[in-house]
Amino acid sequence: AQSVTQLDSHVSVSEGTPVLLRCNYSSSYSPSLFWYVQHPNKGLQLLLKYTSAATLVKGINGFEAEFKKSETSFHLTKPSAHMSDAAEYFCVVTHSGGSYIPTFGRGTSLIVHP
Amino acid sequence: KAGVTQTPRYLIKTRGQQVTLSCSPISGHRSVSWYQQTPGQGLQFLFEYFSETQRNKGNFPGRFSGRQFSNSRSEMNVSTLELGDSALYLCASSLEAGGSKTQYFGPGTRLLVL
């Protein structure tokens, strides 16, 4: 069994300030973890993924995430927010070595103020 | 390379009808997965196809079905439409199958059931 909890439904930041989007997961197996971004009326775009290699994962557009097994967390961060980062973000867990049955978090809406 | 394309982009149907949605993956990709996105349930996995075979299936009723053709294009069919089937249907393609695959999403088909 697996589940994902995105701890904040909305996060509001000012342009140029750091971004933190929180994700906790549970999995009976060795997980693969993903962060996706969805801009309005668009499909999802992969930001980064963790697949049991390095625990600090760097993604596109300056985003990164750290896999912390002891805390069952996979939080997404960015040092400096840009207006174009305003979007919906989804954390996803799958079973890394097995069947593809993903579980999505409910999403976090990132609002960026000028 | 062209991205994932989905047709049609918008669709209006009435209860009881059936609908077929189409997804053309990125050239060379053999895996196609389908998802339903609604405000109430969020993003949910429908099924995954790889080389014309359904590999995995989410928790949806049998009214939801799909297939994949030899050129990797995929179709999803929903029979006996219900109001609750109104959603954004997303497909995604990848080179490989399995839990840690990198997926590329299409823009989605927005279905409205009246």
Side-chain angles (χ1 to χ4, degrees), chain A residues 32 34 38 43-44 46 49 51 94-95 98-100 102 106, chain B residues 35 37 39-40 45 56 98-103 105-106:
Chain A
S32 286
F34 304 77
Q38 186 178 33
L44 276 67
L46 179 67
K49 70 176 183 179
T51 56
T94 67
H95 176 200
S99 300
Y100 178 71
R106 293 308 302 265
Chain B
Y35 304 86
Q37 186 176 23
F45 168 69
N56 295 288
S100 58
K101 63 183 180 181
T102 295
Q103 296 186 98
F105 280 78

mmCIF file with all atom_site columns, all heavy atoms in Angstrom, chain A residues 32 34 38 43-44 46 49 51 94-95 98-100 102 106, chain B residues 35 37 39-40 45 56 98-103 105-106:
data_model
loop_
_atom_site.group_PDB
_atom_site.id
_atom_site.type_symbol
_atom_site.label_atom_id
_atom_site.label_alt_id
_atom_site.label_comp_id
_atom_site.label_asym_id
_atom_site.label_entity_id
_atom_site.label_seq_id
_atom_site.pdbx_PDB_ins_code
_atom_site.Cartn_x
_atom_site.Cartn_y
_atom_site.Cartn_z
_atom_site.occupancy
_atom_site.B_iso_or_equiv
_atom_site.pdbx_formal_charge
_atom_site.auth_seq_id
_atom_site.auth_comp_id
_atom_site.auth_asym_id
_atom_site.auth_atom_id
_atom_site.pdbx_PDB_model_num
ATOM 1   N N   . SER A 1 32  ? 9.633   5.042  -5.657  1.00 0.00 ? 32  SER A N   1
ATOM 2   C CA  . SER A 1 32  ? 10.097  6.097  -6.548  1.00 0.00 ? 32  SER A CA  1
ATOM 3   C C   . SER A 1 32  ? 9.192   7.291  -6.278  1.00 0.00 ? 32  SER A C   1
ATOM 4   O O   . SER A 1 32  ? 7.985   7.128  -6.079  1.00 0.00 ? 32  SER A O   1
ATOM 5   C CB  . SER A 1 32  ? 9.982   5.685  -8.023  1.00 0.00 ? 32  SER A CB  1
ATOM 6   O OG  . SER A 1 32  ? 10.975  4.760  -8.368  1.00 0.00 ? 32  SER A OG  1
ATOM 7   N N   . PHE A 1 34  ? 8.195   11.429 -7.343  1.00 0.00 ? 34  PHE A N   1
ATOM 8   C CA  . PHE A 1 34  ? 8.223   12.403 -8.430  1.00 0.00 ? 34  PHE A CA  1
ATOM 9   C C   . PHE A 1 34  ? 7.563   13.697 -7.968  1.00 0.00 ? 34  PHE A C   1
ATOM 10  O O   . PHE A 1 34  ? 6.655   13.685 -7.141  1.00 0.00 ? 34  PHE A O   1
ATOM 11  C CB  . PHE A 1 34  ? 7.415   11.891 -9.638  1.00 0.00 ? 34  PHE A CB  1
ATOM 12  C CG  . PHE A 1 34  ? 7.843   10.547 -10.161 1.00 0.00 ? 34  PHE A CG  1
ATOM 13  C CD1 . PHE A 1 34  ? 7.482   9.378  -9.511  1.00 0.00 ? 34  PHE A CD1 1
ATOM 14  C CD2 . PHE A 1 34  ? 8.570   10.448 -11.342 1.00 0.00 ? 34  PHE A CD2 1
ATOM 15  C CE1 . PHE A 1 34  ? 7.862   8.137  -9.997  1.00 0.00 ? 34  PHE A CE1 1
ATOM 16  C CE2 . PHE A 1 34  ? 8.940   9.214  -11.846 1.00 0.00 ? 34  PHE A CE2 1
ATOM 17  C CZ  . PHE A 1 34  ? 8.590   8.062  -11.167 1.00 0.00 ? 34  PHE A CZ  1
ATOM 18  N N   . GLN A 1 38  ? 1.891   21.562 -13.011 1.00 0.00 ? 38  GLN A N   1
ATOM 19  C CA  . GLN A 1 38  ? 0.817   21.724 -13.984 1.00 0.00 ? 38  GLN A CA  1
ATOM 20  C C   . GLN A 1 38  ? 0.414   23.187 -14.059 1.00 0.00 ? 38  GLN A C   1
ATOM 21  O O   . GLN A 1 38  ? -0.105  23.735 -13.082 1.00 0.00 ? 38  GLN A O   1
ATOM 22  C CB  . GLN A 1 38  ? -0.389  20.858 -13.621 1.00 0.00 ? 38  GLN A CB  1
ATOM 23  C CG  . GLN A 1 38  ? -1.492  20.883 -14.677 1.00 0.00 ? 38  GLN A CG  1
ATOM 24  C CD  . GLN A 1 38  ? -2.670  19.979 -14.309 1.00 0.00 ? 38  GLN A CD  1
ATOM 25  O OE1 . GLN A 1 38  ? -2.995  19.808 -13.135 1.00 0.00 ? 38  GLN A OE1 1
ATOM 26  N NE2 . GLN A 1 38  ? -3.320  19.392 -15.311 1.00 0.00 ? 38  GLN A NE2 1
ATOM 27  N N   . GLY A 1 43  ? -1.019  19.945 -19.520 1.00 0.00 ? 43  GLY A N   1
ATOM 28  C CA  . GLY A 1 43  ? -0.726  18.663 -18.894 1.00 0.00 ? 43  GLY A CA  1
ATOM 29  C C   . GLY A 1 43  ? 0.356   18.822 -17.837 1.00 0.00 ? 43  GLY A C   1
ATOM 30  O O   . GLY A 1 43  ? 0.803   19.928 -17.544 1.00 0.00 ? 43  GLY A O   1
ATOM 31  N N   . LEU A 1 44  ? 0.782   17.707 -17.270 1.00 0.00 ? 44  LEU A N   1
ATOM 32  C CA  . LEU A 1 44  ? 1.806   17.741 -16.233 1.00 0.00 ? 44  LEU A CA  1
ATOM 33  C C   . LEU A 1 44  ? 3.200   17.699 -16.853 1.00 0.00 ? 44  LEU A C   1
ATOM 34  O O   . LEU A 1 44  ? 3.407   17.058 -17.886 1.00 0.00 ? 44  LEU A O   1
ATOM 35  C CB  . LEU A 1 44  ? 1.648   16.534 -15.301 1.00 0.00 ? 44  LEU A CB  1
ATOM 36  C CG  . LEU A 1 44  ? 0.645   16.648 -14.166 1.00 0.00 ? 44  LEU A CG  1
ATOM 37  C CD1 . LEU A 1 44  ? -0.781  16.730 -14.693 1.00 0.00 ? 44  LEU A CD1 1
ATOM 38  C CD2 . LEU A 1 44  ? 0.784   15.479 -13.208 1.00 0.00 ? 44  LEU A CD2 1
ATOM 39  N N   . LEU A 1 46  ? 7.257   16.908 -15.734 1.00 0.00 ? 46  LEU A N   1
ATOM 40  C CA  . LEU A 1 46  ? 8.118   16.369 -14.693 1.00 0.00 ? 46  LEU A CA  1
ATOM 41  C C   . LEU A 1 46  ? 9.162   17.396 -14.278 1.00 0.00 ? 46  LEU A C   1
ATOM 42  O O   . LEU A 1 46  ? 9.881   17.943 -15.117 1.00 0.00 ? 46  LEU A O   1
ATOM 43  C CB  . LEU A 1 46  ? 8.812   15.107 -15.201 1.00 0.00 ? 46  LEU A CB  1
ATOM 44  C CG  . LEU A 1 46  ? 9.778   14.444 -14.220 1.00 0.00 ? 46  LEU A CG  1
ATOM 45  C CD1 . LEU A 1 46  ? 9.009   13.866 -13.021 1.00 0.00 ? 46  LEU A CD1 1
ATOM 46  C CD2 . LEU A 1 46  ? 10.585  13.340 -14.909 1.00 0.00 ? 46  LEU A CD2 1
ATOM 47  N N   . LYS A 1 49  ? 12.750  13.466 -10.235 1.00 0.00 ? 49  LYS A N   1
ATOM 48  C CA  . LYS A 1 49  ? 12.332  12.183 -9.680  1.00 0.00 ? 49  LYS A CA  1
ATOM 49  C C   . LYS A 1 49  ? 13.449  11.569 -8.858  1.00 0.00 ? 49  LYS A C   1
ATOM 50  O O   . LYS A 1 49  ? 14.635  11.808 -9.117  1.00 0.00 ? 49  LYS A O   1
ATOM 51  C CB  . LYS A 1 49  ? 11.889  11.220 -10.783 1.00 0.00 ? 49  LYS A CB  1
ATOM 52  C CG  . LYS A 1 49  ? 13.003  10.693 -11.672 1.00 0.00 ? 49  LYS A CG  1
ATOM 53  C CD  . LYS A 1 49  ? 12.436  9.665  -12.659 1.00 0.00 ? 49  LYS A CD  1
ATOM 54  C CE  . LYS A 1 49  ? 13.539  9.057  -13.529 1.00 0.00 ? 49  LYS A CE  1
ATOM 55  N NZ  . LYS A 1 49  ? 12.998  8.048  -14.480 1.00 0.00 ? 49  LYS A NZ  1
ATOM 56  N N   . THR A 1 51  ? 14.829  7.834  -7.581  1.00 0.00 ? 51  THR A N   1
ATOM 57  C CA  . THR A 1 51  ? 14.684  6.400  -7.852  1.00 0.00 ? 51  THR A CA  1
ATOM 58  C C   . THR A 1 51  ? 15.787  5.606  -7.150  1.00 0.00 ? 51  THR A C   1
ATOM 59  O O   . THR A 1 51  ? 16.379  4.714  -7.750  1.00 0.00 ? 51  THR A O   1
ATOM 60  C CB  . THR A 1 51  ? 14.731  6.117  -9.359  1.00 0.00 ? 51  THR A CB  1
ATOM 61  O OG1 . THR A 1 51  ? 15.960  6.642  -9.889  1.00 0.00 ? 51  THR A OG1 1
ATOM 62  C CG2 . THR A 1 51  ? 13.566  6.744  -10.072 1.00 0.00 ? 51  THR A CG2 1
ATOM 63  N N   . THR A 1 94  ? 5.386   5.854  -6.516  1.00 0.00 ? 94  THR A N   1
ATOM 64  C CA  . THR A 1 94  ? 5.152   4.558  -7.154  1.00 0.00 ? 94  THR A CA  1
ATOM 65  C C   . THR A 1 94  ? 6.080   3.537  -6.507  1.00 0.00 ? 94  THR A C   1
ATOM 66  O O   . THR A 1 94  ? 6.968   3.891  -5.725  1.00 0.00 ? 94  THR A O   1
ATOM 67  C CB  . THR A 1 94  ? 5.429   4.588  -8.670  1.00 0.00 ? 94  THR A CB  1
ATOM 68  O OG1 . THR A 1 94  ? 6.844   4.795  -8.886  1.00 0.00 ? 94  THR A OG1 1
ATOM 69  C CG2 . THR A 1 94  ? 4.667   5.691  -9.362  1.00 0.00 ? 94  THR A CG2 1
ATOM 70  N N   . HIS A 1 95  ? 5.882   2.297  -6.842  1.00 0.00 ? 95  HIS A N   1
ATOM 71  C CA  . HIS A 1 95  ? 6.761   1.230  -6.397  1.00 0.00 ? 95  HIS A CA  1
ATOM 72  C C   . HIS A 1 95  ? 7.900   1.134  -7.404  1.00 0.00 ? 95  HIS A C   1
ATOM 73  O O   . HIS A 1 95  ? 7.673   0.802  -8.565  1.00 0.00 ? 95  HIS A O   1
ATOM 74  C CB  . HIS A 1 95  ? 5.974   -0.079 -6.335  1.00 0.00 ? 95  HIS A CB  1
ATOM 75  C CG  . HIS A 1 95  ? 6.823   -1.262 -5.979  1.00 0.00 ? 95  HIS A CG  1
ATOM 76  N ND1 . HIS A 1 95  ? 6.430   -2.554 -6.250  1.00 0.00 ? 95  HIS A ND1 1
ATOM 77  C CD2 . HIS A 1 95  ? 8.031   -1.365 -5.386  1.00 0.00 ? 95  HIS A CD2 1
ATOM 78  C CE1 . HIS A 1 95  ? 7.355   -3.387 -5.842  1.00 0.00 ? 95  HIS A CE1 1
ATOM 79  N NE2 . HIS A 1 95  ? 8.338   -2.698 -5.318  1.00 0.00 ? 95  HIS A NE2 1
ATOM 80  N N   . GLY A 1 98  ? 8.515   -2.325 -9.167  1.00 0.00 ? 98  GLY A N   1
ATOM 81  C CA  . GLY A 1 98  ? 7.393   -3.195 -9.507  1.00 0.00 ? 98  GLY A CA  1
ATOM 82  C C   . GLY A 1 98  ? 6.431   -2.576 -10.476 1.00 0.00 ? 98  GLY A C   1
ATOM 83  O O   . GLY A 1 98  ? 6.799   -1.783 -11.334 1.00 0.00 ? 98  GLY A O   1
ATOM 84  N N   . SER A 1 99  ? 5.197   -2.941 -10.337 1.00 0.00 ? 99  SER A N   1
ATOM 85  C CA  . SER A 1 99  ? 4.150   -2.477 -11.233 1.00 0.00 ? 99  SER A CA  1
ATOM 86  C C   . SER A 1 99  ? 3.974   -0.972 -11.127 1.00 0.00 ? 99  SER A C   1
ATOM 87  O O   . SER A 1 99  ? 4.200   -0.377 -10.075 1.00 0.00 ? 99  SER A O   1
ATOM 88  C CB  . SER A 1 99  ? 2.825   -3.145 -10.874 1.00 0.00 ? 99  SER A CB  1
ATOM 89  O OG  . SER A 1 99  ? 2.922   -4.538 -10.988 1.00 0.00 ? 99  SER A OG  1
ATOM 90  N N   . TYR A 1 100 ? 3.536   -0.406 -12.238 1.00 0.00 ? 100 TYR A N   1
ATOM 91  C CA  . TYR A 1 100 ? 3.311   1.035  -12.252 1.00 0.00 ? 100 TYR A CA  1
ATOM 92  C C   . TYR A 1 100 ? 1.886   1.309  -11.822 1.00 0.00 ? 100 TYR A C   1
ATOM 93  O O   . TYR A 1 100 ? 0.965   1.231  -12.645 1.00 0.00 ? 100 TYR A O   1
ATOM 94  C CB  . TYR A 1 100 ? 3.587   1.612  -13.635 1.00 0.00 ? 100 TYR A CB  1
ATOM 95  C CG  . TYR A 1 100 ? 3.304   3.087  -13.684 1.00 0.00 ? 100 TYR A CG  1
ATOM 96  C CD1 . TYR A 1 100 ? 4.141   3.975  -13.023 1.00 0.00 ? 100 TYR A CD1 1
ATOM 97  C CD2 . TYR A 1 100 ? 2.193   3.593  -14.336 1.00 0.00 ? 100 TYR A CD2 1
ATOM 98  C CE1 . TYR A 1 100 ? 3.885   5.330  -13.022 1.00 0.00 ? 100 TYR A CE1 1
ATOM 99  C CE2 . TYR A 1 100 ? 1.926   4.951  -14.332 1.00 0.00 ? 100 TYR A CE2 1
ATOM 100 C CZ  . TYR A 1 100 ? 2.774   5.817  -13.679 1.00 0.00 ? 100 TYR A CZ  1
ATOM 101 O OH  . TYR A 1 100 ? 2.514   7.155  -13.668 1.00 0.00 ? 100 TYR A OH  1
ATOM 102 N N   . PRO A 1 102 ? 0.638   4.465  -9.783  1.00 0.00 ? 102 PRO A N   1
ATOM 103 C CA  . PRO A 1 102 ? 1.033   5.660  -9.033  1.00 0.00 ? 102 PRO A CA  1
ATOM 104 C C   . PRO A 1 102 ? -0.074  6.177  -8.129  1.00 0.00 ? 102 PRO A C   1
ATOM 105 O O   . PRO A 1 102 ? -1.263  6.005  -8.421  1.00 0.00 ? 102 PRO A O   1
ATOM 106 C CB  . PRO A 1 102 ? 1.305   6.670  -10.154 1.00 0.00 ? 102 PRO A CB  1
ATOM 107 C CG  . PRO A 1 102 ? 0.351   6.256  -11.231 1.00 0.00 ? 102 PRO A CG  1
ATOM 108 C CD  . PRO A 1 102 ? 0.262   4.754  -11.154 1.00 0.00 ? 102 PRO A CD  1
ATOM 109 N N   . ARG A 1 106 ? -2.786  15.501 -3.508  1.00 0.00 ? 106 ARG A N   1
ATOM 110 C CA  . ARG A 1 106 ? -3.920  16.333 -3.910  1.00 0.00 ? 106 ARG A CA  1
ATOM 111 C C   . ARG A 1 106 ? -3.497  17.640 -4.565  1.00 0.00 ? 106 ARG A C   1
ATOM 112 O O   . ARG A 1 106 ? -4.319  18.387 -5.075  1.00 0.00 ? 106 ARG A O   1
ATOM 113 C CB  . ARG A 1 106 ? -4.830  16.616 -2.719  1.00 0.00 ? 106 ARG A CB  1
ATOM 114 C CG  . ARG A 1 106 ? -5.546  15.393 -2.189  1.00 0.00 ? 106 ARG A CG  1
ATOM 115 C CD  . ARG A 1 106 ? -6.290  14.636 -3.280  1.00 0.00 ? 106 ARG A CD  1
ATOM 116 N NE  . ARG A 1 106 ? -7.262  15.446 -3.974  1.00 0.00 ? 106 ARG A NE  1
ATOM 117 C CZ  . ARG A 1 106 ? -8.559  15.500 -3.673  1.00 0.00 ? 106 ARG A CZ  1
ATOM 118 N NH1 . ARG A 1 106 ? -9.026  14.774 -2.682  1.00 0.00 ? 106 ARG A NH1 1
ATOM 119 N NH2 . ARG A 1 106 ? -9.390  16.256 -4.372  1.00 0.00 ? 106 ARG A NH2 1
ATOM 120 N N   . TYR B 2 35  ? -4.949  8.919  -17.233 1.00 0.00 ? 35  TYR B N   1
ATOM 121 C CA  . TYR B 2 35  ? -5.295  9.450  -15.930 1.00 0.00 ? 35  TYR B CA  1
ATOM 122 C C   . TYR B 2 35  ? -6.581  10.256 -16.035 1.00 0.00 ? 35  TYR B C   1
ATOM 123 O O   . TYR B 2 35  ? -6.870  10.861 -17.060 1.00 0.00 ? 35  TYR B O   1
ATOM 124 C CB  . TYR B 2 35  ? -4.194  10.375 -15.406 1.00 0.00 ? 35  TYR B CB  1
ATOM 125 C CG  . TYR B 2 35  ? -2.845  9.723  -15.347 1.00 0.00 ? 35  TYR B CG  1
ATOM 126 C CD1 . TYR B 2 35  ? -2.023  9.713  -16.466 1.00 0.00 ? 35  TYR B CD1 1
ATOM 127 C CD2 . TYR B 2 35  ? -2.400  9.096  -14.185 1.00 0.00 ? 35  TYR B CD2 1
ATOM 128 C CE1 . TYR B 2 35  ? -0.784  9.095  -16.430 1.00 0.00 ? 35  TYR B CE1 1
ATOM 129 C CE2 . TYR B 2 35  ? -1.167  8.487  -14.141 1.00 0.00 ? 35  TYR B CE2 1
ATOM 130 C CZ  . TYR B 2 35  ? -0.365  8.490  -15.267 1.00 0.00 ? 35  TYR B CZ  1
ATOM 131 O OH  . TYR B 2 35  ? 0.863   7.874  -15.235 1.00 0.00 ? 35  TYR B OH  1
ATOM 132 N N   . GLN B 2 37  ? -8.508  13.448 -14.053 1.00 0.00 ? 37  GLN B N   1
ATOM 133 C CA  . GLN B 2 37  ? -8.322  14.541 -13.106 1.00 0.00 ? 37  GLN B CA  1
ATOM 134 C C   . GLN B 2 37  ? -9.636  15.262 -12.875 1.00 0.00 ? 37  GLN B C   1
ATOM 135 O O   . GLN B 2 37  ? -10.228 15.814 -13.816 1.00 0.00 ? 37  GLN B O   1
ATOM 136 C CB  . GLN B 2 37  ? -7.253  15.528 -13.590 1.00 0.00 ? 37  GLN B CB  1
ATOM 137 C CG  . GLN B 2 37  ? -6.917  16.612 -12.572 1.00 0.00 ? 37  GLN B CG  1
ATOM 138 C CD  . GLN B 2 37  ? -5.788  17.509 -13.022 1.00 0.00 ? 37  GLN B CD  1
ATOM 139 O OE1 . GLN B 2 37  ? -5.507  17.649 -14.204 1.00 0.00 ? 37  GLN B OE1 1
ATOM 140 N NE2 . GLN B 2 37  ? -5.098  18.108 -12.061 1.00 0.00 ? 37  GLN B NE2 1
ATOM 141 N N   . PRO B 2 39  ? -11.838 17.854 -9.807  1.00 0.00 ? 39  PRO B N   1
ATOM 142 C CA  . PRO B 2 39  ? -11.650 18.667 -8.599  1.00 0.00 ? 39  PRO B CA  1
ATOM 143 C C   . PRO B 2 39  ? -11.898 17.848 -7.327  1.00 0.00 ? 39  PRO B C   1
ATOM 144 O O   . PRO B 2 39  ? -11.228 18.053 -6.321  1.00 0.00 ? 39  PRO B O   1
ATOM 145 C CB  . PRO B 2 39  ? -12.690 19.771 -8.751  1.00 0.00 ? 39  PRO B CB  1
ATOM 146 C CG  . PRO B 2 39  ? -12.939 19.850 -10.218 1.00 0.00 ? 39  PRO B CG  1
ATOM 147 C CD  . PRO B 2 39  ? -12.808 18.460 -10.726 1.00 0.00 ? 39  PRO B CD  1
ATOM 148 N N   . GLY B 2 40  ? -12.820 16.911 -7.383  1.00 0.00 ? 40  GLY B N   1
ATOM 149 C CA  . GLY B 2 40  ? -13.157 16.158 -6.178  1.00 0.00 ? 40  GLY B CA  1
ATOM 150 C C   . GLY B 2 40  ? -12.187 15.052 -5.834  1.00 0.00 ? 40  GLY B C   1
ATOM 151 O O   . GLY B 2 40  ? -11.817 14.867 -4.684  1.00 0.00 ? 40  GLY B O   1
ATOM 152 N N   . PHE B 2 45  ? -4.985  7.284  -11.495 1.00 0.00 ? 45  PHE B N   1
ATOM 153 C CA  . PHE B 2 45  ? -4.455  6.443  -12.551 1.00 0.00 ? 45  PHE B CA  1
ATOM 154 C C   . PHE B 2 45  ? -5.545  5.514  -13.079 1.00 0.00 ? 45  PHE B C   1
ATOM 155 O O   . PHE B 2 45  ? -6.236  4.850  -12.298 1.00 0.00 ? 45  PHE B O   1
ATOM 156 C CB  . PHE B 2 45  ? -3.294  5.627  -11.974 1.00 0.00 ? 45  PHE B CB  1
ATOM 157 C CG  . PHE B 2 45  ? -2.805  4.510  -12.830 1.00 0.00 ? 45  PHE B CG  1
ATOM 158 C CD1 . PHE B 2 45  ? -2.130  4.764  -14.017 1.00 0.00 ? 45  PHE B CD1 1
ATOM 159 C CD2 . PHE B 2 45  ? -2.987  3.193  -12.449 1.00 0.00 ? 45  PHE B CD2 1
ATOM 160 C CE1 . PHE B 2 45  ? -1.657  3.735  -14.799 1.00 0.00 ? 45  PHE B CE1 1
ATOM 161 C CE2 . PHE B 2 45  ? -2.514  2.146  -13.212 1.00 0.00 ? 45  PHE B CE2 1
ATOM 162 C CZ  . PHE B 2 45  ? -1.850  2.419  -14.397 1.00 0.00 ? 45  PHE B CZ  1
ATOM 163 N N   . ASN B 2 56  ? -1.066  -2.508 -16.235 1.00 0.00 ? 56  ASN B N   1
ATOM 164 C CA  . ASN B 2 56  ? -1.600  -2.203 -14.917 1.00 0.00 ? 56  ASN B CA  1
ATOM 165 C C   . ASN B 2 56  ? -2.911  -1.447 -15.059 1.00 0.00 ? 56  ASN B C   1
ATOM 166 O O   . ASN B 2 56  ? -3.145  -0.790 -16.071 1.00 0.00 ? 56  ASN B O   1
ATOM 167 C CB  . ASN B 2 56  ? -0.612  -1.344 -14.120 1.00 0.00 ? 56  ASN B CB  1
ATOM 168 C CG  . ASN B 2 56  ? 0.655   -2.080 -13.816 1.00 0.00 ? 56  ASN B CG  1
ATOM 169 O OD1 . ASN B 2 56  ? 0.681   -2.987 -12.996 1.00 0.00 ? 56  ASN B OD1 1
ATOM 170 N ND2 . ASN B 2 56  ? 1.730   -1.709 -14.511 1.00 0.00 ? 56  ASN B ND2 1
ATOM 171 N N   . GLY B 2 98  ? 6.992   0.386  -15.999 1.00 0.00 ? 98  GLY B N   1
ATOM 172 C CA  . GLY B 2 98  ? 7.533   0.202  -14.664 1.00 0.00 ? 98  GLY B CA  1
ATOM 173 C C   . GLY B 2 98  ? 7.428   1.420  -13.768 1.00 0.00 ? 98  GLY B C   1
ATOM 174 O O   . GLY B 2 98  ? 7.086   2.521  -14.208 1.00 0.00 ? 98  GLY B O   1
ATOM 175 N N   . GLY B 2 99  ? 7.765   1.220  -12.504 1.00 0.00 ? 99  GLY B N   1
ATOM 176 C CA  . GLY B 2 99  ? 7.498   2.209  -11.479 1.00 0.00 ? 99  GLY B CA  1
ATOM 177 C C   . GLY B 2 99  ? 8.348   3.463  -11.521 1.00 0.00 ? 99  GLY B C   1
ATOM 178 O O   . GLY B 2 99  ? 7.942   4.488  -10.988 1.00 0.00 ? 99  GLY B O   1
ATOM 179 N N   . SER B 2 100 ? 9.506   3.418  -12.110 1.00 0.00 ? 100 SER B N   1
ATOM 180 C CA  . SER B 2 100 ? 10.377  4.591  -12.072 1.00 0.00 ? 100 SER B CA  1
ATOM 181 C C   . SER B 2 100 ? 10.489  5.291  -13.419 1.00 0.00 ? 100 SER B C   1
ATOM 182 O O   . SER B 2 100 ? 11.383  6.104  -13.621 1.00 0.00 ? 100 SER B O   1
ATOM 183 C CB  . SER B 2 100 ? 11.762  4.185  -11.575 1.00 0.00 ? 100 SER B CB  1
ATOM 184 O OG  . SER B 2 100 ? 12.306  3.193  -12.420 1.00 0.00 ? 100 SER B OG  1
ATOM 185 N N   . LYS B 2 101 ? 9.582   5.023  -14.308 1.00 0.00 ? 101 LYS B N   1
ATOM 186 C CA  . LYS B 2 101 ? 9.689   5.586  -15.656 1.00 0.00 ? 101 LYS B CA  1
ATOM 187 C C   . LYS B 2 101 ? 9.469   7.090  -15.659 1.00 0.00 ? 101 LYS B C   1
ATOM 188 O O   . LYS B 2 101 ? 8.735   7.641  -14.834 1.00 0.00 ? 101 LYS B O   1
ATOM 189 C CB  . LYS B 2 101 ? 8.676   4.920  -16.579 1.00 0.00 ? 101 LYS B CB  1
ATOM 190 C CG  . LYS B 2 101 ? 7.221   5.148  -16.172 1.00 0.00 ? 101 LYS B CG  1
ATOM 191 C CD  . LYS B 2 101 ? 6.271   4.396  -17.085 1.00 0.00 ? 101 LYS B CD  1
ATOM 192 C CE  . LYS B 2 101 ? 4.827   4.628  -16.666 1.00 0.00 ? 101 LYS B CE  1
ATOM 193 N NZ  . LYS B 2 101 ? 3.890   3.889  -17.540 1.00 0.00 ? 101 LYS B NZ  1
ATOM 194 N N   . THR B 2 102 ? 10.067  7.748  -16.614 1.00 0.00 ? 102 THR B N   1
ATOM 195 C CA  . THR B 2 102 ? 9.864   9.184  -16.847 1.00 0.00 ? 102 THR B CA  1
ATOM 196 C C   . THR B 2 102 ? 8.772   9.341  -17.883 1.00 0.00 ? 102 THR B C   1
ATOM 197 O O   . THR B 2 102 ? 8.869   8.791  -18.980 1.00 0.00 ? 102 THR B O   1
ATOM 198 C CB  . THR B 2 102 ? 11.156  9.842  -17.344 1.00 0.00 ? 102 THR B CB  1
ATOM 199 O OG1 . THR B 2 102 ? 12.134  9.766  -16.312 1.00 0.00 ? 102 THR B OG1 1
ATOM 200 C CG2 . THR B 2 102 ? 10.907  11.311 -17.690 1.00 0.00 ? 102 THR B CG2 1
ATOM 201 N N   . GLN B 2 103 ? 7.741   10.090 -17.552 1.00 0.00 ? 103 GLN B N   1
ATOM 202 C CA  . GLN B 2 103 ? 6.602   10.241 -18.442 1.00 0.00 ? 103 GLN B CA  1
ATOM 203 C C   . GLN B 2 103 ? 6.501   11.652 -18.996 1.00 0.00 ? 103 GLN B C   1
ATOM 204 O O   . GLN B 2 103 ? 6.885   12.616 -18.334 1.00 0.00 ? 103 GLN B O   1
ATOM 205 C CB  . GLN B 2 103 ? 5.310   9.940  -17.695 1.00 0.00 ? 103 GLN B CB  1
ATOM 206 C CG  . GLN B 2 103 ? 5.189   8.523  -17.205 1.00 0.00 ? 103 GLN B CG  1
ATOM 207 C CD  . GLN B 2 103 ? 3.821   8.313  -16.628 1.00 0.00 ? 103 GLN B CD  1
ATOM 208 O OE1 . GLN B 2 103 ? 2.916   7.798  -17.277 1.00 0.00 ? 103 GLN B OE1 1
ATOM 209 N NE2 . GLN B 2 103 ? 3.661   8.703  -15.393 1.00 0.00 ? 103 GLN B NE2 1
ATOM 210 N N   . PHE B 2 105 ? 3.555   14.145 -20.541 1.00 0.00 ? 105 PHE B N   1
ATOM 211 C CA  . PHE B 2 105 ? 2.102   14.246 -20.570 1.00 0.00 ? 105 PHE B CA  1
ATOM 212 C C   . PHE B 2 105 ? 1.619   15.048 -21.764 1.00 0.00 ? 105 PHE B C   1
ATOM 213 O O   . PHE B 2 105 ? 2.256   16.010 -22.197 1.00 0.00 ? 105 PHE B O   1
ATOM 214 C CB  . PHE B 2 105 ? 1.596   14.915 -19.295 1.00 0.00 ? 105 PHE B CB  1
ATOM 215 C CG  . PHE B 2 105 ? 1.529   13.991 -18.115 1.00 0.00 ? 105 PHE B CG  1
ATOM 216 C CD1 . PHE B 2 105 ? 2.670   13.649 -17.418 1.00 0.00 ? 105 PHE B CD1 1
ATOM 217 C CD2 . PHE B 2 105 ? 0.312   13.458 -17.706 1.00 0.00 ? 105 PHE B CD2 1
ATOM 218 C CE1 . PHE B 2 105 ? 2.603   12.791 -16.320 1.00 0.00 ? 105 PHE B CE1 1
ATOM 219 C CE2 . PHE B 2 105 ? 0.240   12.600 -16.616 1.00 0.00 ? 105 PHE B CE2 1
ATOM 220 C CZ  . PHE B 2 105 ? 1.384   12.275 -15.923 1.00 0.00 ? 105 PHE B CZ  1
ATOM 221 N N   . GLY B 2 106 ? 0.455   14.677 -22.253 1.00 0.00 ? 106 GLY B N   1
ATOM 222 C CA  . GLY B 2 106 ? -0.256  15.475 -23.228 1.00 0.00 ? 106 GLY B CA  1
ATOM 223 C C   . GLY B 2 106 ? -1.057  16.568 -22.544 1.00 0.00 ? 106 GLY B C   1
ATOM 224 O O   . GLY B 2 106 ? -1.126  16.620 -21.316 1.00 0.00 ? 106 GLY B O   1
#
